[in-house]
Amino acid sequence: MTLQERLQRMQAKKASLLATNFYNYETLKGILEAASSMQQPIILQLTKSSIDYMTLPVAVKMARSALQEHRVEGWLHLDHSDSYDLVAQCLDAGFDSVMIDASEKPIQENIALTQRVVALAQKYGANVEAELGYVAKLGQSKEKMGFTEPDEAHSFVQETGIDALAVAIGSAHGFYTEEPQLDLERLSQIHAVTDAALVLHGGSGIAGNMLQEAIQRGICKINLATEIKNIFMYQLKADLLKSDEIDLRKVFPPAIQAVTNLVKEKLEIVKNELVSQ
């Protein structure tokens, strides 16, 4: 099943896919052990920095072989690319989905670049995600507001032909200094005017009940990245302080398990018993 089909099915059933960033073999394994044990589908995401770190061929082959090994239904997605060339490279490498993020550019530039990506992705049958509004990235101010306007969302989807739209409704990337409050009424208004699959970025740190309410109002893809990095490194550093062990095969498993436990918790929030129907 294509990701486009799965996302539309999830949205119709008021369910959501969890989209998880991985950074190395260990975080990938932790994610897929969780998805496998809960028999839940998952999206594996790579950013440019992770691709640069692992290299594109290695990252793709590792993700595909790990999905097969764990017998998990999953898709490979390029997260937050601002480059048409990187999108093209990832599509050639077999990605199921790509995100072109021109949300910080003027709206007409965002539309024009997104249209180019959609035209390219159609040749591969790939899902295309774009962003409209301001969702603070790591290092950017979370005080700035730039929520997605429903009427702009409608016209943006119509003009670009995207499959999925990342909306700005109060979430942010990275850690929150105070508990985030999503503008759920705005989300309902956006959902009412577009058939695009709606995506929530900055899923780390948002309360489970708020995520579930967002799903009920149209979100069908929730991104999780910061918490994965954080729990892995927190566990690893804690263990290294207590041990002089140098065997990586003994050092990494507790951190992998910490990722697995985290992803299980998130899957429990978003899972729907009917997703396979």
Side-chain angles (χ1 to χ4, degrees), residues 87-106:
V87 166
Q89 291 170 28
C90 288
L91 289 171
D92 277 342
F95 277 55
D96 305 291
S97 178
V98 292
M99 179 192 183
I100 184 66
D101 183 4
S103 58
E104 295 183 35
K105 297 180 181 294

Side-chain angles (χ1 to χ4, degrees), residues 2-22:
T2 67
L3 182 54
Q4 300 95 304
E5 293 168 336
R6 176 60 83 180
L7 287 172
Q8 288 297 329
R9 185 171 297 189
M10 300 296 274
Q11 195 171 56
K13 293 179 181 294
K14 295 185 178 180
S16 179
L17 288 174
L18 188 65
T20 53
N21 287 49
F22 71 97

Side-chain angles (χ1 to χ4, degrees), residues 1 9 33 87 121-122 151 154 173 184 190 215 222 266:
M1 182 180 295
R9 185 171 297 189
E33 286 188 351
V87 166
Q122 285 176 344
D151 57 341
H154 171 75
H173 299 91
L184 296 171
I190 295 169
I215 292 168
I222 295 175
K266 301 299 182 178

Side-chain angles (χ1 to χ4, degrees), residues 3 6-7 10 15-21 30-32 34-35 38 40-45 67 72-77 199-200 202-204 206 211 215 219-225 227-228 259-272 275:
L3 182 54
R6 176 60 83 180
L7 287 172
M10 300 296 274
S16 179
L17 288 174
L18 188 65
T20 53
N21 287 49
I31 291 164
L32 290 180
M38 296 185 67
Q40 291 291 302
I42 201 125
I43 299 172
L44 298 174
Q45 301 194 146
L67 283 167
V72 171
E73 180 186 19
W75 301 267
L76 188 56
H77 173 74
V199 181
L200 183 68
S204 293
I206 298 178
L211 291 176
I215 292 168
I219 292 293
C220 59
K221 175 177 179 275
I222 295 175
N223 286 17
L224 181 70
E227 282 188 88
I228 291 174
V259 171
T260 297
N261 294 342
L262 169 69
V263 175
K264 280 184 176 179
E265 292 175 9
K266 301 299 182 178
L267 285 172
E268 192 65 42
I269 293 170
V270 306
K271 78 172 185 178
N272 186 293
V275 294

Side-chain angles (χ1 to χ4, degrees), residues 142-262:
K142 293 180 174 61
E143 302 299 320
K144 178 182 174 181
M145 290 294 180
F147 285 3
T148 305
E149 296 295 337
D151 57 341
E152 285 192 353
H154 171 75
S155 59
F156 185 81
V157 172
Q158 290 294 108
E159 288 189 58
T160 60
I162 56 171
D163 304 291
L165 177 66
V167 293
I169 56 170
S171 62
H173 299 91
F175 293 109
Y176 294 98
T177 55
E178 57 186 42
E179 185 174 346
Q181 296 297 319
L182 302 181
D183 189 339
L184 296 171
E185 181 55 36
R186 180 182 297 269
L187 174 59
S188 292
Q189 293 169 4
I190 295 169
H191 184 40
V193 298
T194 178
D195 292 330
L198 299 182
V199 181
L200 183 68
H201 284 227
S204 293
I206 298 178
N209 61 342
M210 188 167 291
L211 291 176
Q212 290 172 335
E213 182 62 26
I215 292 168
Q216 292 300 305
R217 293 172 182 251
I219 292 293
C220 59
K221 175 177 179 275
I222 295 175
N223 286 17
L224 181 70
T226 299
E227 282 188 88
I228 291 174
K229 288 187 292 188
N230 181 64
I231 196 69
F232 183 86
M233 291 304 299
Y234 181 88
Q235 184 66 53
L236 185 61
K237 286 187 283 189
D239 290 341
L240 289 174
L241 287 174
K242 299 181 294 185
S243 171
D244 292 326
E245 180 63 66
I246 64 168
D247 189 335
L248 302 181
R249 297 162 297 183
K250 296 179 181 179
V251 169
F252 282 136
I256 294 171
Q257 186 61 50
V259 171
T260 297
N261 294 342
L262 169 69

